[in-house]
Amino acid sequence: MLKLIGQILLRLRDGTLKLLILTGIILLAWGTLSPVGTLVWWANKSENLGLKKNRSKSLPYDGGIRSTAKSSNINCYIVFLPGVGDFSANQLTPGEEFFLNRLIQLHPNCVAVSDVFPYSAANESLGGRRIFAPIWRFVEQADGWFKDADILIKIRNLWRFAISVDERYGSIYNQGIASAIIDRMNAAHPIPQNSSQPLKIILIGTSGGAQVALGASPYLERWLQPQIQVVSVGGVFSGKDGFNASQHVYHLQGDRDWIEDIGRIIFPSRWPWTVGSPFNQALRQGQFTVQTIGPQAHDGPTGYFGEKQVKPNITYVDLTLQSVNQLPMWSAQK
């Protein structure tokens, strides 16, 4: 073994090892500086959110929510939060668009919210007004030799996922996402006020989006007092956030998805012997459900939103849609 390691190091001596070390240092520094953007957002927005005062049970925007006409039947918002490979708000794959469009058709009392970027507390896309926006645009559009450069986007978004979990910065970051969700909900359809029907929010998160959905749930519950359901589609989440604020959390997994297993391995809150964690409490109380829904992988053509056929006239995204549409939460919508 030592001989093999020595041979590898010898082959890397030509500069590749130095490059790998430099890359590691850059990624470490990148992660260390990741919370800075969140803290800047906090400093600029905390007054508007009322976070420097005792919060009342009102929306975080003064006069920003318009009254809904009494004739409106909309009382449900389906908020879709994509995985770490996402570049911007409302950048859905064709399969994700099909999935959301069909859900809305099947549940006409709901509207879709798909323009929340879960990897920015300010809901700002990577190609927006950022110092490194030209670099992110190049990476996102790269082809040929640079085709795999999109891994940088995933690494960058993974650091934001880590902020959502972090005990120091998570509350700030998750409040930012909750604020963005409310803003985009109201843009999709004015949020009903003083309605006889309860407000329902269905947060559907895939990959890292599941953690962000759970992280935002307590603040959505505090500000809007809605009925919240969380659907994790191959999601990776810590097991600490959101379970007390959600009526139910559904976790859908595919037979060929090994990435979703990472969450229950690396997060102590999801270990069986951590009996007092919100995750394990929800599990014991029947408020957390796991379902294996088919042969899906984590992403790609055979992923949860893949358009490849798994059997004649049935695609992978069809299987996911059927599974989500059969969840018990929809019976309460009718």
Side-chain angles (χ1 to χ4, degrees):
M1 177 62 72
L2 291 175
K3 183 178 179 181
L4 177 61
I5 294 174
Q7 290 176 347
I8 294 173
L9 292 175
L10 188 63
R11 291 178 182 177
L12 293 174
R13 189 175 58 182
D14 59 355
T16 306
L17 179 59
K18 293 180 181 179
L19 179 61
L20 290 175
I21 293 174
L22 177 61
T23 302
I25 292 173
I26 291 173
L27 291 177
L28 182 60
W30 193 359
T32 302
L33 295 174
S34 288
V36 172
T38 300
L39 294 175
V40 170
W41 171 86
W42 170 268
N44 292 333
K45 295 295 184 181
S46 58
E47 282 285 1
N48 293 334
L49 290 173
L51 302 176
K52 293 184 179 179
K53 304 175 182 178
N54 293 327
R55 177 183 294 281
S56 64
K57 291 186 177 180
S58 60
L59 296 178
Y61 299 99
D62 295 332
I65 305 299
R66 301 183 300 276
S67 298
T68 304
K70 293 182 180 180
S71 61
S72 174
N73 293 321
I74 298 297
N75 72 322
C76 161
Y77 293 81
I78 301 174
V79 182
F80 186 79
L81 300 174
V84 296
D86 202 46
F87 174 78
S88 64
N90 205 22
Q91 187 200 32
L92 301 184
T93 66
E96 291 169 343
E97 288 185 356
F98 167 79
F99 171 81
L100 275 181
N101 288 337
R102 285 294 294 138
L103 272 186
I104 296 304
Q105 292 171 6
L106 292 167
H107 305 281
N109 65 313
C110 299
V111 293
V113 179
S114 60
D115 52 353
V116 176
F117 185 47
Y119 308 105
S120 167
N123 199 31
E124 185 175 309
S125 302
L126 296 187
R129 295 174 298 176
R130 297 172 178 269
I131 296 176
F132 298 110
I135 297 176
W136 294 124
R137 286 194 290 268
F138 169 79
V139 169
E140 198 269 338
Q141 299 168 4
D143 202 355
W145 285 96
F146 299 99
K147 185 177 181 180
D148 294 329
D150 63 348
I151 189 66
L152 294 175
I153 292 177
K154 294 181 180 180
I155 293 173
R156 181 263 177 208
N157 289 345
L158 277 171
W159 282 121
R160 269 53 185 186
F161 164 88
I163 294 175
S164 177
V165 177
D166 193 286
E167 293 182 355
R168 298 164 298 175
Y169 310 110
S171 61
I172 300 174
Y173 187 85
N174 294 329
Q175 285 183 61
I177 298 299
S179 176
I181 289 173
I182 292 174
D183 177 66
R184 302 325 300 160
M185 282 172 54
N186 191 56
H189 187 278
I191 297 177
Q193 303 250 356
N194 304 319
S195 172
S196 58
Q197 294 179 309
L199 177 65
K200 300 177 177 68
I201 300 178
I202 298 172
L203 300 170
I204 301 179
T206 180
S207 189
Q211 165 60 38
V212 178
L214 286 164
S217 293
Y219 304 101
L220 294 174
E221 195 275 335
R222 184 188 305 173
W223 296 341
L224 297 179
Q225 295 85 50
Q227 296 177 3
I228 299 176
Q229 309 273 355
V230 178
V231 182
S232 162
V233 183
V236 180
F237 51 91
S238 70
K240 294 190 303 181
D241 305 307
F243 289 90
N244 295 330
S246 308
Q247 290 191 330
H248 205 102
V249 178
Y250 300 91
H251 179 61
L252 310 183
Q253 59 188 19
D255 283 328
R256 296 161 57 196
D257 180 9
W258 60 269
I259 293 180
E260 64 88 20
D261 290 329
I262 293 175
R264 58 190 177 91
I265 295 172
I266 67 173
F267 293 117
S269 297
R270 295 186 59 185
W271 297 346
W273 50 86
T274 314
V275 293
S277 72
F279 169 80
N280 281 307
Q281 289 181 8
L283 187 61
R284 288 195 303 273
Q285 294 168 4
Q287 296 175 338
F288 177 80
T289 303
V290 180
Q291 291 185 14
T292 300
I293 61 174
Q296 289 98 328
H298 192 70
D299 53 19
T302 62
Y304 298 101
F305 303 99
E307 296 183 287
K308 185 176 180 179
Q309 289 192 358
V310 63
K311 55 181 72 173
N313 300 319
I314 298 195
T315 63
Y316 285 89
V317 66
D318 286 329
L319 292 180
T320 303
L321 175 65
Q322 291 171 13
S323 299
V324 172
N325 193 49
Q326 291 170 1
L327 293 175
M329 64 182 183
W330 299 110
S331 60
Q333 299 284 105
K334 299 176 181 179

